[in-house]
């Protein structure tokens, strides 16, 4: 399967992340969930995975600390679900240091990403969301800091 691994350079964010303490894990999970949503169904930073038959969009799955197993309904010839990616329960308890995986077994996902194969996402979807990862992270850091101060 095609595997998308995202590593975020926390560089300038280290001080802010260190101040988060017990909220750090939540911030990292929420950042990952936003990235996945933008890549799969679209959002502020990415048009999402193009939909013709729904196969490409339904071929994504997420896992923790390894590629996991492709879900039913994402293999060629099976009817695709139009709702996108389900999150396995272990993601709800993921912690800093865990590796979040976003996987696809769609044979033409690279063409959609790199070759402008669809007019719905001519510039791809993964690269656009990943480019926004630092901004998404900072948004979640700010929200956590505001919540800690009692403003959210």
């Amino acid at each position: 399967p095609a595997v998308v691994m995202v590593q975020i350079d926390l560089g300038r964010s280290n001080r802010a992340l260190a101040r988060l303490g017990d909220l750090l894990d939540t911030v990292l999970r929420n950042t990952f969930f936003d990235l996945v949503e933008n890549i799969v169904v679209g959002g502020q930073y990415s048009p999402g995975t193009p939909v013709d038959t729904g196969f490409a969009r339904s071929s994504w799955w997420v896992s923790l600390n390894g590629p996991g197993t492709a879900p039913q309904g994402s293999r060629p010839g099976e009817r695709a679900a139009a709702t996108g990616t389900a999150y396995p329960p272990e993601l709800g308890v993921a912690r800093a240091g865990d590796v979040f995986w976003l996987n696809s077994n769609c044979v033409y996902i690279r063409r959609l990403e790199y070759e402008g194969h669809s007019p719905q996402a001519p510039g791809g979807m993964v690269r656009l969301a990943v480019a926004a990862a630092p901004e998404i992270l900072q948004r979640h850091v700010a929200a956590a800091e505001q919540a800690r101060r009692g403003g959210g």
Side-chain angles (χ1 to χ4, degrees), residues 57-83:
R57 182 173 283 180
S58 70
S59 74
W60 294 106
W61 76 95
V62 295
S63 55
L64 189 64
N65 297 320
T69 304
Q72 292 294 330
S74 62
R75 288 170 173 61
E78 294 182 356
R79 180 90 176 125
T83 56

Side-chain angles (χ1 to χ4, degrees), residues 136-147:
I136 294 169
L137 175 65
Q138 287 302 325
R139 194 183 56 201
H140 287 292
V141 166
E145 289 174 335
Q146 183 176 5

